[in-house]
Amino acid sequence: MALYVLVSAAGEVYAAAYFQRADAFVALLLSFTVVCLTFNLLARHDTSKAGVGNRSLLVFAVLNVVTAISWIGLFIGLKYVEPAIVVAFMVALGPTATVWLNAVIRRQGVPPASDIVVSASIAMIASYMIWISASGNAGVEWGARSSFGIVLAIVAGLSLALTNVLVKLLFDRGFSGRQVLAHRFYGTIILLLGLVDYSSIVPEISQHWFAIAAVGVSTMIVPLLLIQQGIRYVEPFTVNMVLSTAPIITFLFQYFDSRIVPSSHTFLGNILITAVAVSNIYLQYRRSA
């Protein structure tokens, strides 16, 4: 999980810089197509015998929808908002939603009081991050589409929480990580086919083929392989808590992007989210010991 945070943070900062000059929908369509083909090839060598029945088919369908929302929301949000804040929104809202999604979808009952307190704390910090952006104290200047970027980041964060629960549900039914990865991006590709400007596809490939490949590998293929294993072996709430360390890592990688001015307000928000996340991991360790 820690390696996932490092790789994805570096990839997201790189993607944010690239999307400033690129046709984002074309780049995402090409990247997700390659990602989908890659994971389908890997799944061909999988030894799992789990079949897609009617109940599992519904889970896969919902997973495709929320995957499209979370990933496209993430990348378009990166285009208009400081990456560390986008990542903070996603991981801050995830734990709050996951607590109740687990209770309803996986029927685990009312969550422990400590989980609820931590979720509420992170949600409050997310509100502080909204103020940072709106007041002009973030590392990226507030622009005409910044509000749109924040809304997308919030929606992506809520969608990510549901994604983690759905993936865990499929693992509980015997599906392997490769099987889940192979069949979760069809909805994303279909949505992008409706958003893309087809006349831009060839120019984008000819001018930015390396950047497109780098975004696909660093933000999708490698991180997804890593996080799928994390989701397999730990509970979704714990996954979200580990992911809560991502904003501070992303903030540090932002020093490699000259367009972002270091913001002490963003740094403070990232530190607060990381501190709450680490505290919760410790509490869960003590509770399970």
Side-chain angles (χ1 to χ4, degrees):
M1 290 301 299
L3 184 58
Y4 161 79
V5 171
L6 289 172
V7 174
S8 61
E12 284 157 5
V13 172
Y14 178 81
Y18 164 57
F19 287 151
Q20 303 307 309
R21 64 183 188 278
D23 185 320
F25 291 134
V26 171
L28 290 176
L29 175 62
L30 296 171
S31 295
F32 276 109
T33 300
V34 172
V35 168
C36 188
L37 290 173
T38 300
F39 287 134
N40 269 275
L41 287 174
L42 291 174
R44 292 180 62 185
H45 303 287
D46 197 274
T47 57
S48 175
K49 301 300 182 181
V52 182
N54 290 334
R55 291 179 60 199
S56 296
L57 184 61
L58 177 60
V59 176
F60 269 113
V62 176
L63 178 61
N64 269 261
V65 173
V66 296
T67 295
I69 294 171
S70 61
W71 279 95
I72 295 177
L74 165 65
F75 284 116
I76 302 304
L78 288 172
K79 185 177 178 70
Y80 301 118
V81 182
E82 181 181 357
I85 291 181
V86 173
V87 174
F89 283 135
M90 293 193 68
V91 301
L93 295 175
T96 303
T98 300
V99 166
W100 303 107
L101 288 172
N102 261 331
V104 174
I105 296 177
R106 300 182 68 212
R107 300 176 183 178
Q108 293 188 345
V110 178
S114 60
D115 286 356
I116 297 175
V117 170
V118 168
S119 298
S121 300
I122 292 182
M124 291 175 62
I125 299 170
S127 299
Y128 168 66
M129 303 294 266
I130 294 176
W131 172 83
I132 291 173
S133 295
S135 62
N137 289 302
V140 175
E141 185 179 355
W142 183 265
R145 297 189 177 182
S146 296
S147 297
F148 178 59
I150 287 179
V151 170
L152 287 177
I154 292 172
V155 173
L158 296 174
S159 300
L160 179 62
L162 181 54
T163 297
N164 290 340
V165 175
L166 291 171
V167 170
K168 187 68 175 180
L169 190 61
L170 289 171
F171 284 161
D172 292 343
R173 295 181 180 180
F175 290 93
S176 69
R178 290 182 178 182
Q179 283 179 309
V180 174
L181 285 170
H183 303 302
R184 64 177 288 189
F185 293 110
Y186 305 133
T188 305
I189 293 173
I190 291 172
L191 179 58
L192 287 168
L193 284 171
L195 296 171
V196 73
D197 177 3
Y198 290 92
S199 65
S200 300
I201 293 179
V202 173
E204 194 69 30
I205 293 175
S206 62
Q207 297 175 26
H208 303 297
W209 64 269
F210 178 80
I212 293 171
V215 168
V217 172
S218 64
T219 66
M220 300 176 204
I221 295 177
V222 173
L224 281 170
L225 287 171
L226 293 172
I227 197 172
Q228 288 287 81
Q229 293 305 309
I231 293 174
R232 171 179 287 279
Y233 294 113
V234 298
E235 289 300 303
F237 190 86
T238 304
V239 170
N240 275 311
M241 288 299 98
V242 176
L243 295 182
S244 293
T245 64
I248 187 62
I249 304 299
T250 305
F251 179 86
L252 295 176
F253 274 110
Q254 286 181 169
Y255 280 93
F256 295 98
D257 188 344
S258 59
R259 73 186 179 89
I260 301 176
V261 179
S263 165
S264 59
H265 293 280
T266 302
F267 182 71
L268 175 60
N270 293 163
I271 286 292
L272 290 173
I273 286 179
T274 301
V276 173
V278 171
S279 298
N280 186 67
I281 293 170
Y282 176 73
L283 289 173
Q284 288 198 342
Y285 172 77
R286 290 289 301 272
R287 193 163 61 224
S288 62

